[in-house]
Amino acid sequence: MSRVVTTYHQRVAQEKRALIVTAATALFLELGYDRTSLAQIAERSGVSRATLFKQFPSKAALFDAIVNESWATADEEDPPPAGNLVDGLSTIGRRYAELLSQPRMTDLFRIVIAELPRFPELAHAQFSHGKMPYFESVRGYLLAEHEAGTARVEDVELAATQFLGMISNYVFWPTLLVPGWEVSAERVAQVVDEAVRTIAARYAVPGPETSTND
């Protein structure tokens, strides 16, 4: 019975945490980070102040939670194994496009951009806890392909930047900056495919497994 009770309490805590993070995100967008209080977040999320403070003792801790939630999918997925550059990049590219298409990712960047002049630490948190770990996973994948002999990538940092940039420049940044901008699933797939072809043409070691004509 105690295990059932424990599981129930854990589920309730997780549900309240999600409500708090959602409320904080909305209020940071509406009022700004500085003008949003923890009391307002507690009221919007429908939890007591004691419950909020137990999980998030500060707004900084809450913002870190927003970052972690935004990049959560990326943290749960390992890079594909080395051995086929095209297949591996296709997997990474689809995951990245899906990640960038989530509304919470757009919300995160809008908060950071709006508050950058007064709270540069928010940008640092988003970069160091979200963007950079994801970038490092892609860089590590390209290094593994280089070491496996399936790609010749002397500057893996540059190659990772090129690949992710080709996708984000079409899928994410217009959506962030232009109200109502939408990209169809078919177009996203095409963008990812073309990014894979471009990187493979530049870095793949010639061989039947690197063909991009399928």
Side-chain angles (χ1 to χ4, degrees):
M1 176 65 86
S2 60
R3 182 178 301 176
V4 174
V5 173
T6 299
T7 301
Y8 168 76
H9 286 305
Q10 289 175 340
R11 186 177 74 251
V12 170
Q14 291 171 352
E15 291 172 352
K16 289 184 177 181
R17 178 185 176 87
L19 288 172
I20 293 168
V21 170
T22 299
T25 301
L27 285 168
F28 290 161
L29 287 168
E30 293 172 19
L31 306 178
Y33 180 81
D34 188 36
R35 291 189 295 168
T36 298
S37 68
L38 289 176
Q40 289 171 311
I41 295 170
E43 181 178 358
R44 175 71 67 91
S45 59
V47 305
S48 68
R49 296 187 187 186
T51 296
L52 187 146
F53 279 102
K54 183 177 180 180
Q55 295 210 34
F56 304 105
S58 67
K59 282 197 295 185
L62 244 174
F63 185 79
D64 285 345
I66 293 173
V67 172
N68 292 334
E69 291 289 335
S70 299
W71 292 91
T73 303
D75 293 337
E76 295 168 358
E77 296 175 327
D78 294 327
N84 188 312
L85 183 63
V86 170
D87 285 353
L89 287 176
S90 295
T91 297
I92 292 173
R94 288 192 299 270
R95 290 176 179 175
Y96 191 52
E98 182 177 356
L99 182 68
L100 294 180
S101 298
Q102 300 298 315
R104 61 189 179 187
M105 185 63 73
T106 306
D107 291 343
L108 171 63
F109 272 81
R110 284 179 175 152
I111 293 169
V112 169
I113 292 170
E115 301 294 350
L116 184 59
R118 291 179 299 171
F119 299 97
E121 64 270 20
L122 300 185
H124 178 75
Q126 133 73 356
F127 187 78
S128 61
H129 299 161
K131 174 68 176 179
M132 200 61 191
Y134 185 83
F135 179 84
E136 284 298 317
S137 71
V138 178
R139 191 187 71 83
Y141 165 75
L142 290 171
L143 179 61
E145 291 286 9
H146 177 81
E147 293 174 343
T150 49
R152 187 173 294 111
V153 190
E154 299 298 336
D155 190 336
V156 290
E157 181 174 328
L158 178 60
T161 301
Q162 291 169 334
F163 181 59
L164 298 178
M166 281 189 283
I167 297 172
S168 63
N169 282 348
Y170 198 99
V171 173
F172 179 71
W173 290 108
T175 303
L176 179 71
L177 300 173
V178 182
W181 181 278
E182 295 183 1
V183 183
S184 68
E186 293 77 12
R187 187 62 168 169
V188 170
Q190 181 184 6
V191 169
V192 171
D193 183 59
E194 289 299 321
V196 171
R197 289 171 180 266
T198 300
I199 294 298
R202 170 65 178 84
Y203 295 109
V205 172
E209 73 281 358
T210 62
S211 173
T212 61
N213 296 321
D214 294 340

